[in-house]
Amino acid sequence: MELLLFGKTGWGDELIVATIMTLAVSVTAMLIGFIFALIFTPLKLSKNKLFNLIANFYTTIIRGVPELLVIYLFFFGGSSAIMFVASIFGYNDYIEINAFFTGAFSIGIISGAYSTEVFRGAIQSIDKGQFEASNVLGFNKVLRFYKIILPQMLRLSIPNLSNVWQITLKDTSLISVTGLVEIMRQSYIAAGSTRDPLLFYTVAAILYLILTFLSMKIINRLEIKYNKGY
Amino acid sequence: MDFDLIINSFPKLLFASITTLKLVSVSLFIGLFIGLFFAILRIKNNIILGKIAYSYSYTFRGTPLLVQIFIIYYGFGQLEFIRESFLWAILKEPYWCAVIAFALNTGAYTSEILRSAFQTIKPGFIEAGKSLGVPNKLIFYKIQIPIAIRQSLPAYGNEIILMLKGTSLASTVTLMDLTGVAKYIISTTFKPIEVFIIAGSIYLFFTFIIHNVIKFLEKKYSF
């Protein structure tokens, strides 16, 4: 048990820092995912066949290919892609991109595909009358989206977004393969140097359980709060 | 784009996908029984058994699959009594460790799917069976189970696809499945895009087949 104490001989403080890292990556990935979702949801709902095709291509591929493969693509392909762009501008040295950014970006792309589907479903379940009423009142498209569709869409998508959050949180464990020190990586290091993998992986599992438990509590509160008027 | 690499690595990846398919089918088969067992515990009105089944599914759904594999593969080997028991013959093989982790994981999700399917069966079906004098056992096997299977088909289809993607984690415990071989080729050639395209298409092909088989079954057994 003394292995879990704080200070130089224990791994307690390292594990807490790693937990914060996991949270930071998950939140960043979720936000990057939102950006992707806000780009691809309109494409998916648009009447243009080409836009539909692009958005479906994105969501189908990302949701049909293992997360680990996507992470490998960005981990191995990310720096060479950036170096290629840099070489056009005459910079030829080796560039290594930050493990945090690669991880958050690859998980973000994955969570974006799921968020896109959630937002699409939410918008499609908004009553048609809302769109018609805003047309009658003379809202333009941008204003209609921000003032009428977006607030309702967010409320309707909270339950499904909570699933996406859980998936994202669990997917961050896969970034450990890129060397970013989050819960999984830290447990791996600790297990290697103390030869006690059972203890540290069990602690990792408990830390993930605590994170999922707490986030479920918070999301349930949010859901109650935003459903007050209904 | 390196077309030689694509042509050369395609057979290797295709061969590796046999391991992936084996992992998926074996763990789904075992997981189905685990899931059915815990789903039945949940719908029996026994509080303690229900709590046990719930904490099982909560734990396995609340932690990443990677942690589960690592606990089983790295963690259990350290216990003295496991190494001395007959279990060691199974647990020293990465293949079986992965299968156990996948089966327990998919079992947790399957138990939730089946539980909700059992709970949505209209009480009228069971009452009709009772009023016709059908014994309880037969009501369960001939009425509840067939309806529950039909109800859970769409959700179970998603679970199969999630499992197909989940088996990629077998590569983290030295198994050379589709993702494992893909990673090996990427790290020796540094051509991630080409390899991603082939490995990704093989996965998408399997997803496509699973999706359509489930769709066909749904149509066939719809009522």
Side-chain angles (χ1 to χ4, degrees):
Chain A
M1 259 341 249
E2 61 262 29
L3 286 174
L4 294 178
L5 290 177
F6 293 81
K8 270 193 175 158
T9 50
W11 292 88
D13 41 349
E14 279 89 350
L15 283 169
I16 286 179
V17 173
T19 311
I20 294 168
M21 184 56 108
T22 291
L23 263 182
V25 180
S26 315
V27 171
T28 319
M30 200 73 190
L31 291 178
I32 294 175
F34 281 160
I35 298 173
F36 274 97
L38 287 179
I39 296 170
F40 282 103
T41 313
L43 294 187
K44 209 153 200 184
L45 292 168
S46 127
K47 285 184 184 117
N48 187 321
K49 280 268 158 61
L50 180 69
F51 287 166
N52 281 193
L53 196 72
I54 295 170
N56 284 333
F57 194 68
Y58 166 63
T59 55
T60 314
I61 287 194
I62 295 294
R63 293 187 309 148
V65 168
E67 296 81 0
L68 204 55
L69 211 55
V70 178
I71 292 173
Y72 284 141
L73 175 72
F74 287 103
F75 178 57
F76 289 104
S79 54
S80 54
I82 287 185
M83 278 199 294
F84 175 71
V85 175
S87 71
I88 296 173
F89 295 101
Y91 185 87
N92 284 320
D93 280 343
Y94 181 73
I95 306 171
E96 197 181 324
I97 37 173
N98 189 306
F100 181 89
F101 185 75
T102 327
F105 190 76
S106 38
I107 299 288
I109 282 191
I110 296 164
S111 101
Y114 289 98
S115 299
T116 305
E117 293 292 339
V118 171
F119 287 157
R120 179 188 57 83
I123 290 182
Q124 280 175 340
S125 65
I126 292 175
D127 194 9
K128 243 186 164 182
Q130 302 273 344
F131 290 86
E132 285 160 9
S134 59
N135 275 344
V136 172
L137 290 170
F139 278 77
N140 63 29
K141 259 190 170 170
V142 178
L143 212 56
R144 182 178 78 187
F145 181 73
Y146 281 107
K147 293 284 171 187
I148 294 172
I149 308 304
L150 190 67
Q152 301 190 65
M153 176 189 98
L154 287 180
R155 181 183 72 84
L156 287 169
S157 38
I158 289 176
N160 289 325
L161 278 185
S162 99
N163 284 338
V164 177
W165 164 251
Q166 297 255 0
I167 293 173
T168 308
L169 189 65
K170 288 190 278 173
D171 278 353
T172 57
S173 67
L174 303 177
I175 312 179
S176 58
V177 298
T178 67
L180 181 74
V181 185
E182 37 69 75
I183 297 179
M184 213 48 218
R185 184 76 194 167
Q186 188 61 260
S187 317
Y188 183 80
I189 296 168
S193 71
T194 60
R195 298 214 187 150
D196 198 349
L198 187 61
L199 173 74
F200 283 103
Y201 291 133
T202 313
V203 170
I206 293 170
L207 286 173
Y208 279 112
L209 270 183
I210 293 173
L211 286 181
T212 43
F213 178 77
L214 288 182
S215 43
M216 280 314 280
K217 287 270 170 218
I218 296 171
I219 291 165
N220 282 343
R221 283 252 176 98
L222 281 179
E223 211 174 324
I224 292 169
K225 191 181 160 196
Y226 287 108
N227 275 321
K228 260 185 189 159
Y230 293 87
Chain B
M1 201 54 82
D2 186 346
F3 285 104
D4 280 348
L5 179 69
I6 292 184
I7 293 161
N8 282 331
S9 51
F10 184 68
K12 287 182 207 157
L13 288 166
L14 208 58
F15 185 70
S17 61
I18 298 173
T19 314
T20 295
L21 287 183
K22 257 205 270 182
L23 279 169
V24 177
S25 43
V26 175
S27 16
L28 279 174
F29 182 73
I30 303 172
L32 195 60
F33 286 99
I34 300 176
L36 188 63
F37 175 73
F38 282 101
I40 293 171
L41 289 191
R42 287 287 285 281
I43 53 168
K44 289 252 157 67
N45 289 323
N46 184 322
I47 294 171
I48 301 170
L49 290 180
K51 277 255 157 72
I52 293 173
Y54 179 71
S55 34
Y56 159 70
S57 89
Y58 193 91
T59 320
F60 277 89
R61 290 180 310 134
T63 53
L65 184 53
L66 190 64
V67 180
Q68 293 158 21
I69 295 184
F70 276 16
I71 289 182
I72 292 173
Y73 183 63
Y74 294 111
F76 283 177
Q78 140 195 9
L79 295 174
E80 212 43 48
F81 68 87
I82 282 184
R83 263 187 311 194
E84 278 160 13
S85 73
F86 69 97
L87 282 172
W88 187 234
I90 300 170
L91 282 170
K92 71 177 178 193
E93 299 282 340
Y95 178 80
W96 287 109
C97 285
V99 165
I100 292 170
F102 295 149
L104 284 172
N105 186 275
T106 181
Y109 286 95
T110 311
S111 80
E112 290 294 322
I113 294 169
L114 288 175
R115 176 192 57 85
S116 67
F118 275 123
Q119 283 173 346
T120 50
I121 295 176
K122 286 196 188 110
F125 286 121
I126 298 163
E127 281 162 17
K130 276 186 184 158
S131 67
L132 290 170
V134 182
N136 276 343
K137 233 185 187 171
L138 271 185
I139 289 181
F140 185 70
Y141 286 115
K142 293 281 170 186
I143 299 176
Q144 280 176 292
I145 286 196
I147 297 177
I149 289 175
R150 168 62 190 89
Q151 294 277 24
S152 50
L153 263 182
Y156 193 65
N158 280 337
E159 176 54 28
I160 296 176
I161 291 170
L162 282 181
M163 210 54 238
L164 174 72
K165 287 161 59 184
T167 52
S168 68
L169 298 187
S171 63
T172 59
V173 289
T174 70
L175 280 178
M176 286 317 242
D177 72 324
L178 185 45
T179 305
V181 173
K183 195 213 162 187
Y184 176 75
I185 299 175
I186 291 175
S187 57
T188 47
T189 59
F190 283 99
K191 297 246 162 61
I193 296 170
E194 286 87 346
V195 181
F196 179 82
I197 290 173
I198 320 167
S201 334
I202 297 177
Y203 273 113
L204 280 176
F205 175 70
F206 291 144
T207 317
F208 177 78
I209 289 179
I210 296 167
H211 180 82
N212 281 305
V213 168
I214 293 288
K215 229 180 181 174
F216 169 77
L217 288 177
E218 263 177 64
K219 249 193 198 148
K220 193 173 168 196
Y221 293 107
S222 61
F223 43 77

